[in-house]
Amino acid sequence: WVQEEAPDVLCLQETKCGVSAVPPEIRALPGLPHQFWASAEGRPGYSGVGLLAKTEPLNVTYGIGDPEHDADGRVVTAEFPSLFVVCAYVPNAGRGLVRLEPRMRFDAAFLEFLRRLDAQKPVLLCGDLNVAHAEIDLCHPRANRANPGFTPQEREGFTRLLGAGFVDSFRHLYPEARGAFTFWTYLGGARARNVGWRLDYAVVSRRLLGSLCDSKIRSTVAGSDHCPITALLAV
């Protein structure tokens, strides 16, 4: 599917492997020779992201400049001539919301990081942000108000991101689209019944909207409990 899609940049989240464990078939993906991987320090099989690019970035950074979170390998940022591309895997608040407070601290630090980037040039943020922002973004909102990914605190964190000059590209183009989900639990045939959540986003700096051509959810692509999303920009 990746070869058919032929992206300029491919962002992967929750890779759960260090640099040395990246499968050779990923390393050898045609058209994506420039590869940058982050993984959790001392925690094999936890978190991790990868950013693969057709052309070499001007610069690549890891983390968000916050020692509490950077050891988890959650963010890789590539600078290109016209924009920054940020690949991110936002922490899950955890069963029983045991990690909600660290999650909220991450959200605040991440927003400041994105603001610093946006002050230099536009930003495209791609990733699993582990939040369904509005009721339209999950199948059963009423039953999930106290569950990770749909708490008022997490949703407000995303609202603050939008208020800081960023735009949810899919919802901007398709404000009324229902049943548009990117994650389905493996339990109970949820994907076949489309009982899902929209947790994966392409968020852009507002001044990139003139370059936004489309934002797609590739819901028929199998291989994970998430499906890919694609942002098309003329930059």
Side-chain angles (χ1 to χ4, degrees), residues 8-9 12 14 38 53 66 75 87 109 112 119 135 142 144 150 163 180 194 210 216 223 232:
D8 293 305
V9 180
L12 304 172
E14 201 175 3
D66 188 312
V75 179
C87 174
E112 288 309 307
E135 292 192 355
R142 193 168 299 176
N144 283 289
F150 199 60
N194 201 29
K216 296 178 177 293
L232 300 169

Side-chain angles (χ1 to χ4, degrees), residues 29 31 46 53 95 172 177 199 208 229:
L29 271 173
Y46 179 76
R95 185 170 296 180
H172 172 77
L199 302 179
L208 273 180
I229 63 171

Side-chain angles (χ1 to χ4, degrees), residues 8-11 13 51 75-80 82-88 110 113-114 117-118 121-127 129 166-170 201-208 211-212 214-215 229-235:
D8 293 305
V9 180
L10 175 66
C11 296
Q13 296 85 39
L51 187 150
V75 179
V76 173
T77 301
E79 180 183 359
F80 295 96
S82 56
L83 80 171
F84 289 102
V85 178
V86 181
C87 174
F110 190 38
F113 170 75
L114 294 172
L117 293 180
D118 190 52
K121 62 177 64 173
V123 174
L124 167 61
L125 163 63
C126 300
L129 305 190
F166 298 95
V167 178
D168 172 356
S169 64
F170 179 83
Y201 296 81
V203 173
V204 298
S205 297
R206 180 166 293 279
R207 62 191 187 279
L208 273 180
S211 303
L212 178 64
D214 208 347
S215 184
I229 63 171
T230 304
L232 300 169
L233 297 169
V235 292

